[in-house]
Amino acid sequence: KAASQGDAHAQGNLGRTYQLGIGVKQDSMKAFEWFLKAASQGHAQAQGSLGHMYQTGIGVKQDSKNARDWFLKAASQGDEKSQYQLGCLYYNGDGVKQDDIKAFDWFLKAASQGHADSQYYLGFIYKQGQGVKQDFVKAREWYLKAASQGQAEAQN
């Protein structure tokens, strides 16, 4: 009821419900519609979910530019998953010009909020000296932070 009355949080939750098929038949198109309603009101998690849908082409035509734009809206509000996704886009040059510095900056924002995969990537970036001065001490620090959260690659 709250979702149909315009409550962005409820709309985002309903989008997630349809996305995952929790208590309803899984429906990516309905998920997209509800996420779009919530995202248009500034709901960061819904914006990130739209970014993911555009990135993967689930429920919508795959579109890297739209993915980046929605991730950027969510990341600008502090959504660490979207910050991580932007880091990946720039790291891999997926739909954007490959940019080690931008990748590092987005991974750092997410890692500073405790995002384990971003912490792992920072460890890797410091180990390789990719866009930053090679620093094995910082690499080890970031790997340890990621490993302490169960990030499998950092534990090896």
Side-chain angles (χ1 to χ4, degrees):
K1 185 175 180 179
S4 51
Q5 292 177 343
D7 181 283
H9 187 72
Q11 291 170 338
N13 285 341
L14 195 52
R16 177 81 55 220
T17 298
Y18 278 111
Q19 182 183 44
L20 301 174
I22 300 171
V24 296
K25 185 174 184 287
Q26 192 276 335
D27 187 330
S28 296
M29 298 295 283
K30 282 187 179 176
F32 180 83
E33 291 171 17
W34 285 109
F35 284 144
L36 185 59
K37 289 178 183 186
S40 297
Q41 296 184 68
H43 190 274
Q45 287 82 9
Q47 292 169 338
S49 294
L50 286 176
H52 178 73
M53 292 181 87
Y54 275 113
Q55 183 180 36
T56 59
I58 296 174
V60 66
K61 185 176 183 284
Q62 195 280 333
D63 184 328
S64 296
K65 183 187 178 314
N66 270 327
R68 185 207 60 216
D69 292 348
W70 283 112
F71 284 141
L72 187 56
K73 288 178 184 186
S76 297
Q77 294 185 68
D79 183 69
E80 75 274 2
K81 290 177 185 173
S82 294
Q83 292 169 341
Y84 166 73
Q85 290 298 333
L86 283 169
C88 291
L89 291 179
Y90 283 106
Y91 185 84
N92 296 312
D94 183 12
V96 296
K97 185 176 185 290
Q98 197 281 333
D99 188 324
D100 290 335
I101 303 302
K102 284 184 180 179
F104 176 86
D105 289 344
W106 284 115
F107 286 139
L108 182 60
K109 287 178 184 186
S112 298
Q113 294 186 70
H115 191 270
D117 288 334
S118 294
Q119 293 169 339
Y120 167 79
Y121 266 97
L122 287 177
F124 183 80
I125 287 167
Y126 274 117
K127 179 182 170 191
Q128 300 299 318
Q130 195 170 347
V132 296
K133 184 174 189 250
Q134 190 174 44
D135 187 327
F136 294 112
V137 172
K138 286 184 180 177
R140 184 175 186 277
E141 288 172 8
W142 284 112
Y143 279 143
L144 287 174
K145 286 180 183 185
S148 73
Q149 295 190 72
Q151 206 285 348
E153 292 171 282
Q155 293 176 331
N156 291 328

